[in-house]
Amino acid sequence: MADPTRPPPGYAAGEADTGAAAGGPVLQSVMISPSGSAAIISGEMVRIGQKFGDSVLVKVAETEVVLRGAGGLQVLKLHPGVDKRPSVPPAQAVKPRRGKSGEARAGRAAPRQGER
């Protein structure tokens, strides 16, 4: 039975900066759980420590996996070309000034009777 969640043939071939364009392995999904981690690489489920081709899956992270082979380490990214960066917290909202009565007031209050 075919995997209904697998992309159609040639889907990733049109995307730049993926291993599919060069004929290399493509990271399609990662699964991280207390019982073990695995990845779907080019349609094949691979658990940590298992072989994929001539390489062994040595690390599974949220956005990437690492394969170790004769040529060294190979990092496959889930979303190639997208760099994860921390977001910048929004500037603190300016709190309205409060008058003696505790009500919010905008700007400068009008002078009281007898004041200038």
Side-chain angles (χ1 to χ4, degrees):
M1 182 165 117
D3 180 1
T5 62
R6 187 172 183 181
Y11 176 76
E15 296 178 8
D17 208 16
T18 65
V26 176
L27 178 62
Q28 295 173 309
S29 182
V30 296
M31 294 158 285
I32 301 172
S33 74
S35 62
S37 299
I40 305 292
I41 304 172
S42 298
E44 183 179 330
M45 184 168 146
V46 184
R47 296 186 185 280
I48 288 190
Q50 285 185 329
K51 289 193 101 180
F52 176 80
D54 295 332
S55 301
V56 175
L57 182 63
V58 294
K59 179 183 172 190
V60 176
E62 290 180 8
T63 59
E64 65 186 27
V65 298
V66 179
L67 296 169
R68 176 176 286 138
L73 297 178
Q74 180 180 13
V75 178
L76 303 178
K77 295 198 177 270
L78 192 56
H79 303 288
V82 176
D83 293 324
K84 186 175 178 180
R85 297 178 283 168
S87 63
V88 178
Q92 296 239 344
V94 177
K95 295 181 181 179
R97 293 176 39 198
R98 303 239 175 233
K100 290 182 184 177
S101 66
E103 292 180 18
R105 62 181 190 175
R108 190 176 159 139
R112 294 184 193 162
Q113 193 174 19
E115 290 183 15
R116 292 217 174 223

